[in-house]
Amino acid sequence: MFSSFFKSPKWRILAWGGLVFILSLNLFQTILNVKFNEWYRSFYDMGGNIDKHTIDDFYKQISLFFWISLWFVISVVAERYLTRVWVLKWREAMTFSYIKFWRKVENDIEGSSQRIQEDIYRFTKTLEDVGMKIVYAFMTLFAFIPILWGLSKGINLPYIGDIPGVLVWIALIVSIGGLAVSWFVGRYLPRLEYNNQKVEAAFRKELVFAEEDKQNYGNEYKINSLFDKLKFNYNKLFLHYLYFDVWLNTYSRILMVVPYLMIGPGLFTKAITLGVLIQTANAFNKVRVSFSVFTNNWTTITELRSIHMRLREFEKNIGYDPKIALQNEI
């Protein structure tokens, strides 16, 4: 899955070069997010001390916001376009690497055509999506943990107020706890997704055969039978996602108010300004969301794990050997 793109003499320059360039754009976006965080403090502090500022100061802040936003939009659009092209090339490398082995197999497992045509695309696309979020999360942590550590000095609560970097520790603890609960609540989802793809493949296969031969395929009884299996699997999957979504959305809503509960009282004692409160809440949520990257993307990760299971099964069926595949390209 990886060697056909990242180790191949034909593709490795594009694979690694594209990855480095995409990561550089992610780093640039992280730097701009730090600039946004600083802007929040300046802008809201200006609003809290309006007598000390003029309308020109207001327009300068708005102008700065648009200038940062311009570069942010450019970097995001460029990253999205280049990533889509890069993922397509990865799909091409995997597809033709598999096909050389697949041609020699006499007995295919179910849905071989789907695994080549659809699962490879979904694997590369989903892995890119999750992978970039994880990389972006680590970059955000690297940039915002020092900021949040410094802002933690504004905490004036019993017992925890004297703990250095208390907001960072709280973000870490609640994120690890959330990940543990998410793993427990969603532990059945990967296998259910895998089973769901199998019944989808069987239903699709019957319809494809019926396109060429409606006399022997696609009869009403067979279609109804296959669709009943499909409905059974979907209803089971939806039920498991129901209680998982209840947990995940409740968890996310509660955590949104945590920084305000922690540092908000300081606003009334004039220990902090409004700008510091907004900056702290923004920094805390950046760190907390980054720590929770696996929890917040659990559905996508579940889908990725099920696709990986199908492709690994397909590789065993066709006798795929990365070393032989690379030797054939030399």
Side-chain angles (χ1 to χ4, degrees):
M1 281 175 246
F2 296 94
S3 60
S4 59
F5 190 49
F6 289 95
K7 293 184 179 180
S8 167
K10 178 181 178 181
W11 298 105
R12 60 190 174 198
I13 294 177
L14 175 63
W16 290 105
L19 180 61
V20 170
F21 193 75
I22 291 169
L23 292 178
S24 299
L25 288 173
N26 271 274
L27 177 60
F28 183 60
Q29 292 168 31
T30 303
I31 293 172
L32 292 176
N33 272 322
V34 172
K35 296 295 182 183
F36 275 126
N37 185 259
E38 294 171 354
W39 180 87
Y40 286 134
R41 179 168 185 167
S42 300
F43 185 77
Y44 283 96
D45 275 346
M46 181 183 65
N49 295 280
I50 201 69
D51 294 336
K52 298 180 181 179
H53 297 276
T54 65
I55 191 65
D56 289 336
D57 294 329
F58 171 79
Y59 285 121
K60 285 180 181 178
Q61 288 295 320
I62 296 298
S63 196
L64 177 60
F65 176 83
F66 280 116
W67 180 249
I68 300 173
S69 299
L70 173 64
W71 285 107
F72 190 83
V73 170
I74 291 173
S75 66
V76 169
V77 171
E79 183 219 330
R80 288 288 83 205
Y81 174 76
L82 293 172
T83 301
R84 291 183 182 112
V85 174
W86 186 73
V87 167
L88 180 61
K89 294 298 182 182
W90 189 356
R91 177 188 179 185
E92 181 181 350
M94 281 185 64
T95 298
F96 288 99
S97 182
Y98 280 178
I99 284 178
K100 291 177 182 178
F101 288 83
W102 176 62
R103 289 182 183 275
K104 302 174 184 178
V105 177
E106 295 182 0
N107 299 315
D108 288 330
I109 59 174
E110 58 80 24
S112 292
S113 58
Q114 179 195 1
R115 302 191 192 207
I116 294 174
Q117 183 268 325
E118 181 179 338
D119 286 351
I120 290 177
Y121 166 73
R122 292 175 62 201
F123 174 76
T124 54
K125 182 68 180 69
T126 308
L127 184 62
E128 171 269 324
D129 183 39
V130 174
M132 287 299 103
K133 288 179 179 178
I134 293 173
V135 169
Y136 189 69
F138 276 102
M139 290 183 178
T140 301
L141 287 174
F142 181 77
F144 278 90
I145 281 180
I147 296 173
L148 189 61
W149 192 280
L151 292 170
S152 296
K153 296 176 182 178
I155 299 292
N156 187 23
L157 294 175
Y159 304 110
I160 65 172
D162 295 329
I163 300 176
V166 61
L167 287 174
V168 176
W169 295 115
I170 290 174
L172 177 61
I173 291 169
V174 298
S175 299
I176 292 176
L179 178 61
V181 175
S182 296
W183 179 87
F184 177 77
V185 174
R187 64 191 184 280
Y188 297 116
L189 293 176
R191 176 56 61 176
L192 291 172
E193 284 279 6
Y194 172 81
N195 293 337
N196 210 48
Q197 290 173 22
K198 291 185 70 173
V199 294
E200 283 280 17
F203 183 64
R204 184 188 297 105
K205 183 178 180 180
E206 185 70 18
L207 295 177
V208 170
F209 284 163
E211 287 182 358
E212 303 295 333
D213 185 4
K214 289 186 175 64
Q215 296 298 321
N216 297 311
Y217 297 96
N219 63 77
E220 186 175 355
Y221 174 79
K222 185 64 177 293
I223 292 293
N224 287 337
S225 176
L226 290 171
F227 200 82
D228 284 341
K229 293 180 180 179
L230 191 150
K231 287 192 299 182
F232 175 80
N233 277 274
Y234 266 114
N235 286 327
K236 192 174 182 180
L237 181 65
F238 292 161
L239 179 62
H240 282 270
Y241 268 122
L242 176 64
Y243 59 76
F244 183 80
D245 287 341
V246 169
W247 148 250
L248 191 59
N249 282 280
T250 302
Y251 169 75
S252 299
R253 289 290 113 183
I254 291 174
L255 289 184
M256 288 179 65
V257 77
V258 168
Y260 295 101
L261 290 174
M262 297 293 295
I263 202 170
L267 186 65
F268 296 92
T269 60
K270 297 183 179 181
I272 62 169
T273 63
L274 178 62
V276 172
L277 176 64
I278 299 299
Q279 184 188 21
T280 303
N282 177 260
F284 179 86
N285 285 322
K286 290 286 185 184
V287 172
R288 191 264 305 172
V289 169
S290 297
F291 275 139
S292 305
V293 62
F294 294 102
T295 303
N296 294 337
N297 293 280
W298 197 263
T299 301
T300 307
I301 293 172
T302 296
E303 182 182 0
L304 178 62
R305 290 171 64 190
S306 67
I307 297 169
H308 182 265
M309 290 167 61
R310 285 177 57 80
L311 287 178
R312 289 294 295 170
E313 189 178 53
F314 180 66
E315 286 184 348
K316 291 180 180 179
N317 176 248
I318 64 177
Y320 181 77
D321 189 329
K323 294 181 179 179
I324 296 176
L326 292 175
Q327 290 174 359
N328 292 336
E329 293 186 18
I330 298 175

